[in-house]
Amino acid sequence: MESETGAFLEGPRLEIAGAAEGPLAGLRFAAKDLFDVAGHPTGAGNPDWARGRPLPARHAWAVQALLDAGARLVGKTVTCELSLGILGFNAHCGTPPNPAAPGCLPGGSSSGSASAVAAGLADIALGTDSGGSVRVPASLCGLYGLRPTHGRISFEGVCVQAPSFDTAGWFARDAGAFARAGAVLLGEPAAAPGQGPLLLAEDAFALADEAVQAALRPQAARVAALLGGAPRPMALGEPGELAAWGSQRAVLQRAEGWQTFRDWIDRVNPRLAFSVARNLGIGAALTEAQIALAAALRHRVRERARALLDGGAILCIPSTPFTAPPLGLPLHALDALSDRIGLLTSFAGLTGVPQLSLPLGQVAGKPVGLSLLAWRGQDARLLGIARALAG
Amino acid sequence: MESETGAFLEGPRLEIAGAAEGPLAGLRFAAKDLFDVAGHPTGAGNPDWARGRPLPARHAWAVQALLDAGARLVGKTVTCELSLGILGFNAHCGTPPNPAAPGCLPGGSSSGSASAVAAGLADIALGTDSGGSVRVPASLCGLYGLRPTHGRISFEGVCVQAPSFDTAGWFARDAGAFARAGAVLLGEPAAAPGQGPLLLAEDAFALADEAVQAALRPQAARVAALLGGAPRPMALGEPGELAAWGSQRAVLQRAEGWQTFRDWIDRVNPRLAFSVARNLGIGAALTEAQIALAAALRHRVRERARALLDGGAILCIPSTPFTAPPLGLPLHALDALSDRIGLLTSFAGLTGVPQLSLPLGQVAGKPVGLSLLAWRGQDARLLGIARALAG
C-alpha cells in the first residue's frame, strides 16, 4: 500500500547556511515538515494543510537555534500526515526509505528525518515526538534519538498535534553529533552518567519479540555496568497495566488531536488517508467520561514514574517490540503493529519523562533500539550515558 | 472549501460514436465515472480507486444500451467520491458548476452528469442513485431525473456502493429526450399517465423551505389535474417518522457501504475526504443490533408504500427541501443540509419505488424539483406524466 519517496520533500531542496561560527559548524541538519522555515510553507504531510495559511514569517525556535549554532539546513523532510502515525507511511507523499532495513518501513512520524540521517544525507535532524515519533524511527533506522522531557525544548513554530504530549527532539548517527546538537537544543552540555540502578522492566521486555529481547539484554547489562551495577529486574506496572496505559494514552492523545484539527477539518474537509481520518473520527467520538477516566489514570502513572525515577534510577525498555516491518502490509496488520508499539511508548508519553533510544540492537541485520528513561529534566544525563557507551 | 472543476473528467475527452441508426441517433450522452467504459479506468471520484485494477473489458450495460440505440458518448463526468455525498463537492477532483445556479453546489453524487446536461454539453447523462444521487442534482440543476424502481435497470459494470439501494438512472433537460432515453433503458416506451389520486404528503412538504413549498404546490395541482383530480393532502408517516426513516436509511446504506469498501480500504488505506472517511468509519462502527433494527423498520416502510401506492396512486413530495446551497460552506453546515435532504430521499431508498424529479419549481431564480413516486415497476408511467406535463 505504500508508494515510495525520498527522505526530503519533493521539489528544489531548501538550503540555508548557518552562522559562520558555532558549536555545530560543519554539521548538516534536516527538519521535519512540521517545523516552520521562514518564507516556506509548512506542509505537515497533508496536501491541504498549508492552503490558505500565511507563509511562516520566522523559523521555528529549534531551527533557529541550530542555524545560530552554525549547522546548515539541508532540507525539510517527509512526515506522517499531521504527525499522526508511527510506522512512517504517508498516503500523499509516499514512504521514505529505511536505509538500515531496505524494503521496510522507516517508522514515523518523523520518517524523513530518520531516513535522511540514516542515509547520511544529514548529520542531525529535527523531529517531533507525541506518541513515539522520534523514538520509533530511531529504533527502526538504527539511530540515536531523544524524546526530551515534555516542555523542555520550545515547540514554538512547530505544528501542534496534542499539546500535553508534543515534544521536539532530534536524531543523529553518532553519539558525538547527537550530544553536540543536544547541548544546543537543551542549553546544557551532556552531563555525567552518574550512578544509580538500571531498572530493567521485565513486563516491557516481555512485549517484544524474543529475538529483540535477546539482542537488547546484553546491551542493558552494558548500561548497568556503566552506572555501577547490574540490571535490576522489575515490573513497570501491575499485570496488564502497560496495555491499559497504551489505550488510555491513545484516548488522551486522540482527544487532544481532535481539538487541534477540528476547526480546520470543518473549514476545509481535507483529503486524509483513511487511517488518519478514522483516528481523528475516533477522537471526535470520545465522551467526556472516557477522557476524564484516562486523565485520572495518567495521574497515577505519573506518580509511578516519580516513585521509580526521582531518586536517580534509569529505566530500561525496548524502544520498539520488533525491527522494521516490511512494506506492503494491509491496514489491519499495520494497526496491530502500531497498537503494539504504543504499549512501549506510552509510559514516557503519559508521564513526560525523557526517553533516549540507543541504536544498540540488531536482529537479522536490522536495527532495534534500547530505550533509557530518566526523571524529568535529566535529558543531559541521558546524552552523557549515550556518549559514554559510544566510548 | 470547494475548488471548482468542469463537469467532465480532466484530460482528453472520451468520445465514442453510437450505432449509425437507432431511437437515440443524434443525441449526445455523458456517463458518471462510476460506469465502465471499455479500455478506460473507472475512477469513482477517488484517486486511489482505479490503481491496481484491470481496465474494464466491456462497457457497463447502460452505456452499451445507449450506444446501441445511436447515442454518442461525449465524456465521463465527475462524481462525488465513491458516490458518497449528496451535495456535489469532491475534495480531489473539485466541484462541477451548477449552470442553473451559478456559485452554488450542483448536488450529487451524479454531480458532473447533471452539470453537463444543464450546461447543454450533453443531451442525456447516466447517473446512479443510492441515497438521492440522481434526484438531488436533478432538483438543484433544474433537470428531469429518474431514480428507477430498484433493480429495474441493470447495474452491470457500475461501481457498487450499497446493493440494496443502488440504482442506475439518468438526466435530461427536456421531457422528449428524457422519455426517449427511458424507452431504451427501461425497454418500454413512456406509458399513459393514467388516472389515480395525487397524494400530497404534507409532512414531506413541511420539511421544505416555505418558498419551496409555495413554488411547488401549484405544480402539484397541475399534476393532479392531469391525473383527473385535485391534490389529496395526507401524511406519509406518523409524526416524526420521516426523520426516523432518514436515520434508518443512513444506517443501512452505511453498513452496506462499509461492506463494499472495507477490503479495498484495508489493502490500500486510500486518500479520502475527511467527510467520506468519517461516514465509512460510522458504517464500520455500526452494531448488528442497530442494523437489524433498521432492517426491521425498512420492512414496515415497504408495507406503507404498498398500502399507499399499489392501487395506482401517485405520491408527491419536494425533491429537495431547498434550492442549490452556495459554495464555501463549512463541513458542519454541509452535514446539516445533507441530513435534511435525507429526510425526503429515504422513502424511495428504503422502499425501492421509482421517484421522478421534475424541473417545475423556481425560487429566486434557482430551480427546485417536484418529485412523483409510483408503485414499483411504474417507471414508464412516470415518464408519461413528465411528457404530458411538458405538453
Side-chain angles (χ1 to χ4, degrees), chain B residues 39-100:
Chain B
H40 296 270
T42 303
N46 176 277
D48 295 321
W49 180 256
R51 189 156 48 92
R53 293 179 199 269
L55 289 178
R58 60 177 65 185
H59 299 323
W61 180 89
V63 170
Q64 188 68 58
L66 295 181
L67 288 171
D68 288 348
R72 177 180 186 80
L73 178 67
V74 295
K76 294 192 77 177
T77 56
V78 168
T79 167
C80 288
E81 193 168 2
L82 306 176
S83 73
L84 298 168
I86 205 72
L87 292 170
F89 58 86
N90 183 312
H92 311 284
C93 318
T95 303
N98 183 336

Side-chain angles (χ1 to χ4, degrees), chain B residues 155-200:
Chain B
F155 216 66
E156 197 186 314
V158 188
C159 291
V160 167
Q161 182 212 114
S164 82
F165 293 92
D166 293 343
T167 65
W170 73 99
F171 303 92
R173 275 184 314 283
D174 71 85
F178 187 65
R180 284 163 66 195
V184 169
L185 292 167
L186 298 171
E188 178 187 11
Q195 301 288 300
L198 183 77
L199 308 176
L200 192 145

Side-chain angles (χ1 to χ4, degrees), chain B residues 8-388:
Chain B
F8 292 101
L9 301 186
E10 283 190 9
R13 188 77 60 78
L14 195 165
E15 295 221 25
I16 300 177
E21 296 183 9
L24 304 185
L27 291 184
R28 300 160 300 155
F29 81 101
K32 186 181 189 178
D33 195 23
L34 253 58
F35 287 79
D36 281 350
V37 172
H40 296 270
T42 303
N46 176 277
D48 295 321
W49 180 256
R51 189 156 48 92
R53 293 179 199 269
L55 289 178
R58 60 177 65 185
H59 299 323
W61 180 89
V63 170
Q64 188 68 58
L66 295 181
L67 288 171
D68 288 348
R72 177 180 186 80
L73 178 67
V74 295
K76 294 192 77 177
T77 56
V78 168
T79 167
C80 288
E81 193 168 2
L82 306 176
S83 73
L84 298 168
I86 205 72
L87 292 170
F89 58 86
N90 183 312
H92 311 284
C93 318
T95 303
N98 183 336
C104 295
L105 289 160
S109 67
S110 308
S111 52
S113 284
S115 180
V117 172
L121 304 172
D123 302 303
I124 49 185
L126 293 169
T128 63
D129 187 318
S130 302
S133 291
V134 166
R135 293 164 284 168
V136 174
S139 177
L140 302 186
C141 290
L143 300 173
Y144 292 92
L146 183 74
R147 174 192 164 91
T149 301
H150 184 258
R152 176 71 192 261
I153 294 180
S154 171
F155 216 66
E156 197 186 314
V158 188
C159 291
V160 167
Q161 182 212 114
S164 82
F165 293 92
D166 293 343
T167 65
W170 73 99
F171 303 92
R173 275 184 314 283
D174 71 85
F178 187 65
R180 284 163 66 195
V184 169
L185 292 167
L186 298 171
E188 178 187 11
Q195 301 288 300
L198 183 77
L199 308 176
L200 192 145
E202 289 289 358
D203 47 356
F205 268 75
L207 294 169
D209 288 352
E210 295 211 358
V212 168
Q213 298 185 42
L216 294 180
R217 282 182 189 278
Q219 301 299 329
R222 280 184 61 210
V223 178
L226 178 73
L227 296 174
R232 188 181 297 176
M234 48 79 74
L236 188 50
E238 303 294 321
E241 202 169 2
L242 271 61
W245 293 346
S247 55
Q248 302 305 322
R249 191 269 314 155
V251 165
L252 293 171
Q253 195 178 338
R254 284 174 172 161
E256 290 187 20
W258 177 244
Q259 293 305 320
T260 298
F261 296 116
R262 61 184 298 168
D263 287 347
W264 170 66
I265 286 171
D266 188 45
R267 200 170 65 248
V268 173
N269 192 23
R271 293 168 284 180
L272 298 163
F274 176 80
S275 57
V276 173
R278 176 199 57 190
N279 288 357
L280 286 163
I282 293 171
L286 290 167
T287 64
E288 290 295 328
Q290 287 173 301
I291 297 167
L293 180 66
L297 200 126
R298 170 155 62 181
H299 184 72
R300 283 184 45 193
V301 188
R302 287 179 172 175
E303 289 308 302
R304 174 78 177 148
R306 178 187 299 276
L308 286 175
L309 299 176
D310 198 2
I314 298 288
L315 174 69
C316 176
I317 66 174
S319 300
T320 53
F322 39 72
T323 60
L327 297 171
L329 295 175
L331 186 54
H332 73 271
L334 296 168
D335 286 341
L337 293 173
S338 297
D339 287 350
R340 208 173 145 204
I341 289 175
L343 304 182
L344 293 178
T345 57
S346 294
F347 186 77
L350 288 168
T351 62
V353 304
Q355 180 174 344
L356 167 72
S357 185
L358 295 162
L360 299 181
Q362 194 95 6
V363 174
K366 296 199 281 183
V368 65
L370 181 75
S371 269
L372 304 181
L373 297 87
W375 184 234
R376 287 167 164 268
Q378 297 193 6
D379 307 73
R381 182 181 171 212
L382 290 175
L383 299 195
I385 294 173
R387 204 173 48 186

